[in-house]
Structure formats: structure tokens, C-alpha cells
Amino acid sequence: MSWTQKLYETYENCSALIGKIPENDTVPLLPVCHTTQKAQIEIVIDDQGNFLRARIVNRDDARTIIPCTESSGGRTSGEAPHPLSDKLQYVANDYKEYGGEKKPYSKSYIKNLEEWCKSQYCHEKAKAILVYVNKGTVIKDLVEKGRILHLGKDGKLLDKWEGEPKDKPEIFSLSKGDSSQSDAFIRWEVEQSDNPCSKTWQDDTLRDSWIKYYSSTKQNKTLCYIKGDELLSADLHPAKIRNDGDSAKLISSNDKYGFTFRGRFTDDFGHQVCGVSFEATQKIHNALRWLIGRQGYRKGDQAIVAWATSGVDVPNPVADPLDDLPSDDPASLVSTAQVVAIKLRDKIRGYKKGLGDTSSIVVMGLDSASPGRMAITFYRELTGSEFIDRLDNWHETCAWIHDYVLKEKKKIKFEGAPTPEDIAVSAYGLNVDDKLKKATVERLLPCIIDGRQVPFDIVVSAVRRACNPLSMETWEWNKTLSIACALYKKFHEKEKYDMALDEGRKTRDYLYGRLLAAADSMENVALSLTGEKRETNAVRLMQRFSDHPYSTWKTIELQLVPYRVRLVRANKYLAVIDKVMTMFEPSEDFTNDKPLGGEFLLGYHCQREVLKRKKDQPASVEDVNTEEEEDV
């Protein structure tokens, strides 16, 4: 139950943020007994329950905090109305009259609202809404007075707009998929002369009124394993943890059907297995949902989130490290890999000052194998210093020079570790199965958090794909190549490979990689002079070269002869080839035709980077070809 305790602590520590909707429209930290919905229509009434006006809700302001019950909070369909704001199917007494195709639940909605208004915890705004909905004119007012909803010739609500697109009412633009205007979600404003806050979703007194009333309806108590006291028990536990449409639950128990544990306990709700109070389960699930929406990684059913129980910001271990750079940071506008690396490293280490050495950090992974059940696939508790040190170590030991394309379509050279998702794509291709991608991300998470070794099969897959450039577009291959180099470097950490060219390294694989890079660069320049746009022979034969380097090198070297003539001076590349050839020790290493390992990619990538003339460097007087190489 450690994760529940940590989430409960987080909720309590961040209580100042409860009910505040973030500017980026992520899920807020919700009060107990509340959830969020995207509203389409806003109805304004007075405190006597009279209709005043209505408006379409702007998309940017659609997220609305509303009261809910345990049943309605996890509702997917059926008769479980929200207490105050809901769809027309629930709040409109005249729904059936205007052709609503779904079953109306206005009776249940009104009954629940009446019980709240009759209690000692009633609220004036809830009473006004009850008076209005009892009139049974919600849809009529929205059609005739509000001019929000639109009827067809038969006097029924239109399912879809059939007129001119330019005349299409705004309500139809808000509908998604097969939903129509009859599925619109309603939220309320109640104008009172003595209350400047008319919006029900922003009224703290209304929220408190609902929380007190709903808590008073619960009778059974249980030993709460989180708080250690006898407290009101939870009948159902919240859903919507990863997103608004998420029906999977972390805590769930019943024995009324399915007979999950028939004969083992005397109750049907699993309270004897593990007791979690109503208040505690609301708070821990609201905290987790808020954290995932605010700072988590989500792909499909998989969610990974790291947080400090104190509420201090922490970096996401599996997110793109470039996201940690401010959009206006000068480093994001240049192509110097080391400058970006320094900025990113400073950003990560800057978190350490706010966290301190003893702050409690939690990293949690979630996934679901079925629509109704969710599991914790990864869980670690660390101190602030441990978390930052391990994250920093990952970005240092798995670092390589990568080429990224930012959202603004600007290219940037970045020195650091690739993201787990990019590693999965590089190892298994752009069309990698979602399950395999999720499994790969999950397997890489302990490598970042626990410092474990990168799985060997992932390294092999990335290296194998990087050796086959013809199977990918150029941009994809370059990214795959740099990530394969990063993984190989990480896996062979004891070798202490450098991202810069190591001219003193005499291993067979590294030297063969340098030879291939020199041949590739030389042919690239020659092709650019004639305007030819094709892959070089070195790239086309790269896969064969990795399997049979000695015999393939003979072919590549012979194909370089015409390019030596085409270039005014090819000495730059020939000098590299001659120098590398003399470094094979013993010489039998060169004539050995056995397959190359992933180290040859490191030699290839490093040598290729050296042979590229940087645009900010002046042209060399000694080599007249440098101007020709600038755009290569």
C-alpha cells in the first residue's frame, strides 16, 4: 500500500491547487466527489430558476469541474446521473419530446437533485437549478430563446447539419464522431444579486455543500489501511485515471457476478481483503490522475509518471529531453550539440536544488491488459538526490550526437541520451507494434531509474537496422544510426567510448568503420559536384560490408577510382584511408573477413562527423574542395 500512502501525502501537500484548472487544460487536482467533463452548452438562470440566456462554450474553456457520485464518476453508460451538470439526456425533461434517441434519465437526475436540496447541506444554486429543470423546458428554451439547438422540419432535434457548410451552426462543430447536438453536455450559471460568482463550477461553497451531503449518505465503515482509522468505506473506486475516457481501475472488487472470490469472504465488496476509505480513495486517485495529466508520459494504455510528494517539479525520466529546454532558450536555436547538452544537463541538475537530498520521489508505471483492470507495472521510491543522479548518469553514459527535427521544423544537433520511445522505434522500425513499443519502454525504465544494463537484444536489433540504410529513408537511418551508437556505447560502458573520433583506437571494427566513412564522404562530395542524387556505394554496400568487410572493401575501393579523378584534390580522404590502413595491428585483422560488431558504427559515425566541414569554419587554403563540401 506504499503507493497509496505516497499519493495521499501528495494530495495533502498540494491542497492549495485543488479545483484550479491549469492554463494548458490538463486535468486539475480535483476535490473529493468531483470529476471533470468537457461542456458544450452553458445555461444561465436566476436564483428563482428562470431562464436568462445560453451560450456555446469555447473549446479552450470547456473543461468543467462538476460534482459526481461514485457511480457517475466511473459511468460509461446507463442510469448514473451526475448530481448537477450532465448531458441533455439527463437534465432535460423534454428530451424524449424533441426526439432524443437515447433513453432519458431525467427522473433519476431530478430525484438525486431533490434529495440533495432537502438535506441540511442544501445550496441555493442547486435549488434554483432544481426549480428550472422541473419546468421541463430545457431543450425548448435552448431552441427558442437561446438559439443554440436546431430542429428539423419534423420538429425534432437534428442529428447532423444538412444545409450549406457556411451556415452550419456552432453546436454541430463541437460534436465528435457520431454524437449529435442531443448529446451536448450542460453546465450551469446561477446569477444571484448578493453573489459575484455565478459559475457553479467555480463556487467553493457549492463544492463543499456537495461533499458534505454525499459523505452523509454513506453508512458503512471500514478500517482504512492508508489512514489507520475506522472511516466511511468506499463502495466503488474512481476510474478515468489516464484520460477522460479511461474505464480501467486500479482498485476494484465485487462478488455479485463473476464470483471472483466466492467462498473466501463473507461480504460481496472485498472490504475484508483490503480496506480503503471513501475519502482516501478519492484523494489518491485524484492525485494520480492530476500527476499523469500534468507531468506524465502517456502512449495508449501505458502511463509513466515521476513526482515528488512535496509537489516540487521533477523531470520525466522517459520524456524527450529537449522538452526540458525553454522554447525561447538560445540553445534551441543553434546546431552546436555540446551547447544543447550543457543546457540540458544544467536543467536536470537544477531540479536537484529544489528537491534537496532527502525529498521523496516516486516513479510509477501503469498499464492495462483489459478495458476494466489496470496494473502497476513499475514502482520505485527514491530520494531526490538518488533520482537526479541516476537520471544524470543515464544521460551521460548513453549519450551520443543526434540530429533532431523540432516542432518548428528546425534541425538541432543534440548530445544526450535518446528517449525510450525513440529507442524502440530505432530497434524495431517505424511500424513497430504498439505492444512491443510499450514493452520496450517498460524494459528500459529500470535502466534509467535503477542503472541496469540495457537489454542486449535491443542493442542487437538497433545495430542490425543501422547496418541496413537502404531499408529506410535517409532521415530515419541517420537517427537510427546515432541511437544504435548510443546503445552500443552504453552496453559497453567499461570500454569508455568517446563521442569524438578516437584516432588512437586500433580495434579492427572501429578502423573498418573509419574506412567506410572516408569512402562514403569522398563519394558524397564527388556526387554533389555533378548534381547526382543517389546513395553512395559505401552506403549501398553497408550491410554486406558489416558481414564481409575485407572482400566488400575491395569493391568499394575500386569504385572510388573515378571519383579520385573527378575531384580536384582528393588527398583529404585518401590520407585518412591510407592512415587507417596502416593502423591495423596485427595486419591479419585487415584481411580477416569475419562479420563486424556494432563498434564499427561508432568508428563510421565519428569519422563521418570529422570529414564534414562545418559551415561556420573558413574554407581551407590547402584544400580547394572545402567549399564544395559545405552543402554535402
Side-chain angles (χ1 to χ4, degrees):
M1 300 295 288
S2 178
W3 64 275
T4 58
Q5 183 64 43
K6 293 297 182 183
L7 286 168
Y8 189 88
E9 290 177 14
T10 304
Y11 188 94
E12 294 297 311
N13 292 335
C14 300
S15 58
L17 300 175
I18 294 175
K20 300 183 185 302
I21 296 180
E23 293 181 359
N24 58 0
D25 195 35
T26 55
V27 176
L29 185 58
L30 292 169
V32 172
C33 312
H34 284 73
T35 187
T36 63
Q37 288 285 348
K38 293 291 186 72
Q40 285 84 43
I41 299 175
E42 189 175 294
I43 297 178
V44 184
I45 62 176
D46 63 21
D47 55 3
Q48 301 302 312
N50 299 312
F51 180 90
L52 298 179
R53 58 189 176 277
R55 65 174 71 95
I56 296 292
V57 179
N58 188 292
R59 288 180 183 271
D60 297 333
D61 186 41
R63 187 175 292 280
T64 309
I65 299 175
I66 64 169
C68 71
T69 65
E70 289 174 285
S71 298
S72 71
R75 180 185 81 196
T76 54
S77 62
E79 193 167 2
H82 294 305
L84 202 67
S85 298
D86 214 324
K87 293 184 177 182
L88 286 171
Q89 175 188 6
Y90 294 86
V91 305
N93 243 341
D94 52 350
Y95 176 79
K96 197 68 177 178
E97 178 184 341
Y98 282 91
E101 295 182 356
K102 296 181 179 180
K103 185 177 180 180
Y105 293 116
S106 58
K107 291 183 179 179
S108 298
Y109 170 81
I110 292 174
K111 179 182 177 182
N112 290 346
L113 190 54
E114 284 177 343
E115 290 176 356
W116 177 14
C117 291
K118 290 177 182 178
S119 72
Q120 60 178 318
Y121 306 108
C122 64
H123 194 277
E124 293 302 319
K125 288 182 180 177
K127 287 183 177 180
I129 293 170
L130 176 60
V131 171
Y132 174 65
V133 296
N134 267 326
K135 295 178 179 178
T137 60
V138 173
I139 294 180
K140 180 181 179 181
D141 289 339
L142 290 175
V143 172
E144 298 178 0
K145 298 179 181 178
R147 307 294 182 184
I148 300 294
L149 301 180
H150 300 269
L151 306 179
K153 295 180 180 179
D154 58 355
K156 307 295 183 181
L157 289 171
L158 288 172
D159 287 334
K160 59 182 179 179
W161 183 250
E162 298 179 352
E164 293 292 330
K166 63 179 182 179
D167 299 326
K168 185 177 182 180
E170 191 176 359
I171 186 64
F172 291 97
S173 302
L174 298 176
S175 302
K176 293 182 178 180
D178 297 329
S179 62
S180 65
Q181 57 178 341
S182 62
D183 292 317
F185 194 95
I186 307 297
R187 70 184 187 188
W188 306 96
E189 276 194 49
V190 180
E191 294 186 347
Q192 298 170 300
S193 58
D194 58 344
N195 189 350
C197 179
S198 62
K199 296 177 172 60
T200 57
W201 60 95
Q202 294 180 358
D203 193 330
D204 292 335
T205 62
L206 181 64
R207 291 177 187 172
D208 292 340
S209 168
W210 169 251
I211 293 171
K212 290 176 181 178
Y213 164 70
Y214 189 69
S215 298
S216 71
T217 63
K218 305 189 70 61
Q219 303 296 328
N220 298 325
K221 288 190 174 183
T222 187
L223 173 62
C224 179
Y225 282 32
I226 297 174
K227 300 193 71 175
D229 296 323
E230 286 280 343
L231 299 170
L232 294 171
S233 63
D235 297 327
L236 296 170
H237 299 276
K240 299 184 179 181
I241 296 173
R242 294 166 297 191
N243 53 65
D244 291 337
D246 189 8
S247 60
K249 295 185 178 182
L250 269 174
I251 304 176
S252 179
S253 63
N254 74 75
D255 209 30
K256 292 184 176 180
Y257 54 89
F259 307 130
T260 309
F261 45 82
R262 178 49 58 102
R264 301 184 185 183
F265 307 101
T266 59
D267 70 356
D268 292 333
F269 297 99
H271 294 155
Q272 296 171 349
V273 181
C274 173
V276 181
S277 68
F278 165 71
E279 177 195 2
T281 192
Q282 289 280 322
K283 288 183 177 181
I284 64 176
H285 285 88
N286 287 349
L288 183 56
R289 185 184 180 194
W290 172 63
L291 289 166
I292 292 174
R294 179 175 180 245
Q295 60 202 56
Y297 163 89
R298 286 179 296 174
K299 284 294 178 182
D301 292 334
Q302 186 180 56
I304 298 170
V305 63
W307 79 90
T309 56
S310 62
V312 177
D313 288 340
V314 298
N316 190 323
V318 296
D320 192 331
L322 286 177
D323 291 340
D324 278 334
L325 276 180
S327 58
D328 58 346
D329 194 308
S332 64
L333 305 177
V334 299
S335 59
T336 306
Q338 289 183 341
V339 172
V340 180
I342 292 171
K343 291 286 184 181
L344 289 171
R345 200 69 52 79
D346 289 344
K347 179 73 175 178
I348 292 173
R349 290 172 181 171
Y351 284 107
K352 197 169 185 177
K353 295 180 181 178
L355 287 170
D357 294 335
T358 58
S359 295
S360 178
I361 304 293
V362 179
V363 183
M364 180 186 288
L366 303 167
D367 204 349
S368 57
S370 66
R373 298 292 182 270
M374 188 186 309
I376 298 175
T377 58
F378 183 88
Y379 185 81
R380 295 291 186 278
E381 292 181 16
L382 307 94
T383 64
S385 58
E386 284 178 329
F387 177 71
I388 296 301
D389 288 345
R390 293 180 186 183
L391 193 58
D392 196 33
N393 179 67
W394 165 259
H395 280 279
E396 183 176 348
T397 57
C398 194
W400 200 258
I401 300 174
H402 311 276
D403 287 337
Y404 276 77
V405 177
L406 301 178
K407 294 178 181 179
E408 299 81 6
K409 304 299 181 183
K410 294 177 182 177
K411 200 170 184 180
I412 183 173
K413 273 189 176 299
F414 155 58
E415 181 183 305
T419 67
E421 187 176 345
D422 281 337
I423 290 174
V425 172
S426 296
Y428 304 111
L430 288 174
N431 297 321
V432 56
D433 180 75
D434 287 340
K435 290 183 179 179
L436 180 56
K437 183 189 289 187
K438 289 196 301 182
T440 304
V441 172
E442 189 176 315
R443 292 176 67 195
L444 290 169
L445 193 54
C447 304
I448 302 172
I449 303 302
D450 301 335
R452 294 184 189 176
Q453 185 57 277
V454 178
F456 180 67
D457 61 294
I458 296 178
V459 180
V460 171
S461 295
V463 169
R464 185 182 294 116
R465 290 193 73 245
C467 292
N468 187 17
L470 296 184
S471 65
M472 295 169 270
E473 293 185 26
T474 302
W475 69 267
E476 183 188 354
W477 173 61
N478 281 320
K479 191 169 185 179
T480 301
L481 173 63
S482 65
I483 291 176
C485 290
L487 292 175
Y488 189 87
K489 171 176 172 279
K490 173 65 178 175
F491 190 83
H492 297 86
E493 204 170 325
K494 293 181 180 179
E495 291 287 337
K496 296 182 179 180
Y497 288 110
D498 199 339
M499 286 178 284
L501 180 64
D502 186 354
E503 297 191 0
R505 186 172 288 276
K506 298 182 179 181
T507 56
R508 169 177 174 270
D509 292 2
Y510 197 83
L511 293 176
Y512 260 123
R514 292 184 62 185
L515 284 178
L516 188 68
D520 181 31
S521 299
M522 180 177 175
E523 186 175 352
N524 241 328
V525 174
L527 291 175
S528 68
L529 292 176
T530 58
E532 293 184 60
K533 294 183 179 180
R534 64 169 176 81
E535 299 292 351
T536 64
N537 290 307
V539 169
R540 287 194 289 182
L541 295 173
M542 191 171 186
Q543 187 174 25
R544 178 182 161 192
F545 182 84
S546 65
D547 293 330
H548 307 287
Y550 175 66
S551 57
T552 308
W553 174 249
K554 290 181 179 179
T555 303
I556 293 174
E557 193 172 26
L558 288 173
Q559 290 173 336
L560 288 177
V561 173
Y563 303 120
R564 295 181 183 182
V565 177
R566 185 180 302 178
L567 291 176
V568 178
R569 294 180 64 184
N571 294 343
K572 176 179 177 179
Y573 309 100
L574 296 176
V576 172
I577 293 174
D578 291 342
K579 180 179 179 180
V580 173
M581 294 277 282
T582 61
M583 293 177 68
F584 283 90
E585 293 181 1
S587 58
E588 288 78 12
D589 275 355
F590 177 66
T591 57
N592 190 335
D593 210 25
K594 70 177 182 179
L596 298 172
E599 187 184 10
F600 103 91
L601 294 176
L602 275 64
Y604 172 82
H605 193 277
C606 291
Q607 185 66 72
R608 189 181 70 168
E609 289 297 311
V610 170
L611 291 175
K612 286 181 180 179
R613 188 177 78 80
K614 306 301 185 292
K615 291 187 178 182
D616 58 346
Q617 292 178 350
S620 171
V621 177
E622 298 177 358
D623 189 354
V624 296
N625 291 315
T626 52
E627 292 183 4
E628 298 162 355
E629 298 165 39
E630 182 173 352
D631 296 324
V632 176

